Amino acid sequence: MTDSQEWRHLFTLLKLAEMGAHKRTAKISTEYLAEKLVTSQQTASRYLIELERKGWIKRSMTHDGCLIKIDDAGTGELQKLFSNLRSLMEAAYPPSVTLEGTVFTGLGEGAYYIGKEYYLKQFVEKLGFEPYPGTLNLKLTSDYDVKARAELEAYPAVEVAGFKNEDRTFGLVKCYPALIDNKVKGALVTALRSHYDASVLEIIAPVCLRRQLNLKDGNKVKIEILIPM
Amino acid sequence: MTDSQEWRHLFTLLKLAEMGAHKRTAKISTEYLAEKLVTSQQTASRYLIELERKGWIKRSMTHDGCLIKIDDAGTGELQKLFSNLRSLMEAAYPPSVTLEGTVFTGLGEGAYYIGKEYYLKQFVEKLGFEPYPGTLNLKLTSDYDVKARAELEAYPAVEVAGFKNEDRTFGLVKCYPALIDNKVKGALVTALRSHYDASVLEIIAPVCLRRQLNLKDGNKVKIEILIPM
DNA sequence: ATTACTACTAAACGAGTAC
DNA sequence: TGTACTCGTTTAGTAGTAA
């Protein structure tokens, strides 16, 4: 993760790029750079030394200034920032939505539904994992979470088709891949039938979440829903 | 110009955007933000206060965390950074090339050429100004400047077509719009005929540069050539 | 002209803590 | 839980200056 040191370096790199140092070797004095950075000549000098140490730029000194070229590593950093910004700015949806809920024990019907062969096959295909036979039930506590959950309906989801057997019809299931407690990959599944209201989440994962995360009724759990672009 | 204060704010904004706060109101605790910024909870709190003061974000406090939405001003800043980066990363050429040379008195032939009606009309049309009838001659001093000048040949230029009159032929003139001494807009014109070698620049501008910039022979002048994308 | 060191000043940070 | 204040500590920034 980018720390505060890196920010300054990244911005210095950006200014150097604005002076053309990413396309060609440019003659840039510390005084001139300082002006662009709104800082002192000494600070600009220090930044350049730091950037050189990091391998982000190459320098060669001449009698009247130094020649600077942004190195591949530096260009890579700028590219990374650019890609990051692009995906943020061009995306229609936020990259993720985090919900928080309290663990409670359900009626065990989740297990019944997700165990159905036709659903199961699709979970493996579309989510990339075979769910542990049981759902983790979470009760949303705050207004914020209920609202945020409602917003999700408008976001793209992984759709698991419904089916019909001799007895009855099984509906479409919308899944939202998610990171549970910042640790386990799983998915939020829309209530298979509306046993629960809008303030309840059902989570599936390749493992037993209660065991894996050592959860008991009443514990709070964070669900970070990752929205595809 | 972005100062060091703004860098941190811009990066904080970026992190908030990564949490979806540019698309929706997101619940983000100062503790969580601090983690993403690799800093302390107190610092994250301070940043949020500063961002709010700037009008870059809107906040509303709840009993368990605060709801954050990046405001239009904030989104605008991110957009600005993004556009800036995009034009840098996607451009084939550096945005500008700065040359430095020493003023000297030429043979006065520049005035003769640029005064030609056919050229003059094109200067006005293509450069957007009627040049003062005379060129400022600059002698490039360092190796770097001579090399940089040579690179220019490969970059896009404003082309002023040549012509023929009863006496002789007047060749094509390549012009590079430029900022002279960070103050006056003008253009570098390729030696109309090669009186001078590669280490000489001829500059035109809507005003008399010698007078406007109070230049005398031997003075050093900076020419920032602005390369179109 | 430059760059960049040393020594000092200013600012940012974060521990403790109140709310 | 949360946020954000005070205040001592750490870090970044700059003036002066040598090379």
Side-chain angles (χ1 to χ4, degrees):
Chain A
M1 206 98 299
T2 321
D3 63 30
S4 85
Q5 276 270 21
E6 298 225 324
W7 300 358
R8 293 200 314 271
H9 292 159
L10 210 45
F11 263 102
T12 306
L13 217 53
L14 183 65
K15 291 296 170 193
L16 290 173
E18 284 174 9
M19 299 172 204
H22 62 318
K23 301 283 181 188
R24 55 186 288 278
T25 300
K27 188 195 275 179
I28 300 168
S29 73
T30 53
E31 181 71 46
Y32 185 69
L33 176 61
E35 196 180 291
K36 296 285 176 191
L37 292 171
V38 196
T39 186
S40 66
Q41 175 271 322
Q42 293 89 336
T43 299
S45 171
R46 194 158 44 80
Y47 283 5
L48 287 177
I49 293 168
E50 289 162 0
L51 284 174
E52 194 176 17
R53 289 233 175 90
K54 270 191 162 173
W56 285 10
I57 62 168
K58 280 266 175 292
R59 279 201 305 173
S60 54
M61 316 297 283
T62 69
H63 55 287
D64 66 332
C66 59
L67 305 180
I68 298 174
K69 174 82 173 56
I70 296 177
D71 220 341
D72 291 347
T75 308
E77 290 297 323
L78 285 175
Q79 190 67 51
K80 227 166 65 186
L81 177 63
F82 174 54
S83 313
N84 191 191
L85 262 167
R86 180 170 48 200
S87 60
L88 286 173
M89 303 309 284
E90 292 178 352
Y93 306 104
S96 71
V97 172
T98 301
L99 299 172
E100 195 180 34
T102 310
V103 177
F104 74 95
T105 301
L107 304 172
E109 284 191 307
Y112 169 71
Y113 290 100
I114 63 168
K116 290 288 167 199
E117 187 61 25
Y118 192 82
Y119 279 149
L120 215 52
K121 242 178 64 185
Q122 290 183 77
F123 285 142
V124 175
E125 268 171 32
K126 297 178 180 173
L127 293 176
F129 65 82
E130 177 167 321
Y132 170 85
T135 63
L136 178 72
N137 301 301
L138 298 176
K139 176 78 181 167
L140 298 177
T141 43
S142 76
D143 253 26
Y144 168 79
D145 291 294
V146 175
K147 252 185 225 162
R149 194 266 160 79
E151 281 173 24
L152 280 182
E153 303 291 340
Y155 296 169
V158 174
E159 304 207 330
V160 165
F163 61 99
K164 198 184 267 192
N165 70 4
E166 52 278 3
D167 304 325
R168 49 159 292 201
T169 306
F170 291 83
L172 171 87
V173 175
K174 286 171 81 177
C175 306
Y176 300 87
L179 195 61
I180 297 106
D181 255 3
N182 265 309
K183 290 187 200 81
V184 185
K185 280 179 191 173
L188 162 67
V189 294
T190 53
L192 302 166
R193 284 175 102 187
S194 44
H195 314 292
Y196 304 123
D197 58 76
S199 71
V200 166
L201 303 182
E202 287 194 273
I203 311 295
I204 59 172
V207 298
C208 175
L209 290 166
R210 276 186 183 258
R211 208 180 313 123
Q212 185 83 10
L213 300 171
N214 195 28
L215 298 173
K216 290 174 182 42
D217 280 10
N219 287 164
K220 294 210 163 190
V221 175
K222 275 201 161 65
I223 305 294
E224 186 181 359
I225 287 138
L226 310 159
I227 298 151
M229 280 172 297
Chain B
M1 204 98 301
T2 322
D3 64 30
S4 84
Q5 277 269 25
E6 299 224 323
W7 300 358
R8 295 200 313 273
H9 292 160
L10 209 47
F11 264 101
T12 306
L13 216 54
L14 182 65
K15 291 296 169 193
L16 290 173
E18 285 173 8
M19 300 174 203
H22 61 318
K23 301 283 179 186
R24 55 188 289 279
T25 300
K27 189 195 276 179
I28 299 168
S29 73
T30 53
E31 180 71 44
Y32 185 69
L33 175 62
E35 196 181 290
K36 295 284 175 192
L37 291 172
V38 196
T39 188
S40 66
Q41 175 271 322
Q42 291 90 335
T43 297
S45 171
R46 194 159 42 81
Y47 283 5
L48 287 176
I49 293 169
E50 288 162 1
L51 284 174
E52 194 176 19
R53 289 234 175 90
K54 270 192 161 171
W56 286 11
I57 63 168
K58 281 265 175 296
R59 281 201 304 173
S60 55
M61 315 297 283
T62 68
H63 54 289
D64 65 335
C66 59
L67 304 180
I68 297 173
K69 174 83 172 57
I70 295 178
D71 220 340
D72 289 347
T75 308
E77 290 296 324
L78 285 176
Q79 190 66 52
K80 227 167 62 186
L81 177 63
F82 175 54
S83 314
N84 193 192
L85 262 167
R86 179 169 50 199
S87 58
L88 286 174
M89 304 307 284
E90 292 178 351
Y93 306 104
S96 72
V97 172
T98 302
L99 298 172
E100 194 180 34
T102 311
V103 177
F104 73 96
T105 301
L107 303 173
E109 286 192 302
Y112 168 69
Y113 290 101
I114 63 169
K116 289 289 163 198
E117 187 60 26
Y118 193 82
Y119 280 149
L120 216 52
K121 244 178 61 187
Q122 290 183 76
F123 285 140
V124 175
E125 268 172 32
K126 297 179 180 172
L127 293 176
F129 65 83
E130 176 167 322
Y132 171 85
T135 63
L136 178 71
N137 301 300
L138 298 177
K139 174 81 182 165
L140 298 178
T141 41
S142 75
D143 253 27
Y144 168 79
D145 290 295
V146 175
K147 252 186 226 161
R149 196 272 161 78
E151 281 173 23
L152 279 183
E153 301 292 339
Y155 297 170
V158 174
E159 302 207 332
V160 166
F163 60 100
K164 200 183 266 193
N165 71 6
E166 51 278 3
D167 304 324
R168 47 159 295 196
T169 307
F170 291 82
L172 172 86
V173 175
K174 286 170 81 178
C175 305
Y176 299 87
L179 197 59
I180 297 106
D181 256 4
N182 265 309
K183 292 186 199 82
V184 185
K185 281 179 190 172
L188 162 67
V189 294
T190 54
L192 301 167
R193 283 173 104 189
S194 44
H195 315 293
Y196 304 124
D197 58 76
S199 70
V200 166
L201 302 183
E202 287 194 273
I203 311 294
I204 60 173
V207 298
C208 174
L209 290 167
R210 276 188 183 257
R211 207 181 312 123
Q212 185 85 9
L213 300 171
N214 195 28
L215 297 173
K216 290 173 181 44
D217 280 8
N219 286 165
K220 295 210 164 191
V221 175
K222 275 200 162 62
I223 306 294
E224 187 181 359
I225 289 140
L226 311 159
I227 299 154
M229 279 172 297

